[in-house]
Amino acid sequence: MDFETIQSLVSTRIRVVRAEQGITQNEMCHILGISKKTLVEIEKGRKPANWPTIVAFVSLFKDSPTVQYTLGDRNPIECLQTYSRKTVFQEENYYDSLDEYWKPIIEHEGYSLQKHYIHNHYRVVDRSLNVYMRSTDYKETYEFLERIS
């Protein structure tokens, strides 16, 4: 997945989430900090939302089932973070109890390199699902797995 794909997916869901949440266009404009004209253009598919609007929308509506399904993750902010930064190392162990979107690729000495089956990014976890690293780069993720195991 790339920026344009995320931009397209999220842009087409803004109206759906607005309706799902019972929010008027004026309220959504206020929440996202955009003009009504911009919101109408996004909702009608005339133009995609820009990155700041996407980040605000996903952050503020991360609990929406539509946003979670669209970005294929219980925590959609992680999806944005991984694709914007390319590689994310967890400073502290981050426990992810929901691994339904992840497919193990390599298991090695208690660690697993996994691939997100929707977005095709990678992560390294231990048996308890503590996440140590996420990346869009397979080679970098594999090298990290080799270093820690």
Side-chain angles (χ1 to χ4, degrees), residues 4-44:
E4 288 78 22
T5 304
I6 291 173
Q7 186 180 37
S8 175
L9 285 170
V10 172
S11 294
T12 61
R13 302 309 191 275
I14 291 176
R15 183 177 187 173
V16 173
V17 171
R18 186 173 62 74
E20 171 186 282
Q21 302 284 324
I23 297 171
T24 67
Q25 283 185 328
N26 287 336
E27 290 170 327
M28 184 61 88
C29 291
H30 177 75
I31 290 167
L32 297 179
I34 60 176
S35 70
K36 187 163 184 179
K37 179 182 177 190
T38 298
L39 180 62
V40 169
E41 289 179 345
I42 292 168
E43 288 189 350
K44 289 190 175 192

Side-chain angles (χ1 to χ4, degrees), residues 3-141:
F3 169 73
E4 288 78 22
T5 304
I6 291 173
Q7 186 180 37
S8 175
L9 285 170
V10 172
S11 294
T12 61
R13 302 309 191 275
I14 291 176
R15 183 177 187 173
V16 173
V17 171
R18 186 173 62 74
E20 171 186 282
Q21 302 284 324
I23 297 171
T24 67
Q25 283 185 328
N26 287 336
E27 290 170 327
M28 184 61 88
C29 291
H30 177 75
I31 290 167
L32 297 179
I34 60 176
S35 70
K36 187 163 184 179
K37 179 182 177 190
T38 298
L39 180 62
V40 169
E41 289 179 345
I42 292 168
E43 288 189 350
K44 289 190 175 192
R46 293 183 190 145
K47 76 179 218 177
N50 63 22
W51 187 246
T53 301
I54 290 168
V55 172
F57 174 74
V58 171
S59 297
L60 296 169
F61 295 98
K62 67 183 180 183
D63 58 338
S64 159
T66 300
V67 171
Q68 291 176 354
Y69 177 78
T70 300
L71 295 177
D73 221 326
R74 177 182 53 87
N75 187 347
I77 294 170
E78 282 185 8
C79 180
L80 296 184
Q81 183 184 43
T82 302
Y83 278 92
S84 64
R85 293 174 46 194
K86 306 298 180 212
T87 300
V88 178
F89 293 97
Q90 299 299 138
E91 293 295 322
E92 299 176 11
N93 287 350
Y94 168 75
Y95 175 73
D96 186 356
S97 62
L98 187 66
D99 65 348
E100 65 191 47
Y101 296 107
W102 296 93
K103 178 176 107 178
I105 297 175
I106 298 171
E107 306 267 344
H108 192 265
E109 296 187 20
Y111 295 92
S112 176
L113 187 157
Q114 300 177 337
K115 183 176 183 178
H116 197 279
Y117 80 86
I118 295 175
H119 300 297
N120 298 318
H121 60 277
Y122 305 93
R123 73 179 185 177
V124 174
V125 298
D126 63 18
R127 285 187 183 119
S128 299
L129 296 181
N130 291 306
V131 180
Y132 292 87
M133 181 234 204
R134 298 184 318 273
S135 180
T136 58
D137 185 320
Y138 173 80
K139 182 179 177 187
E140 184 176 20
T141 310

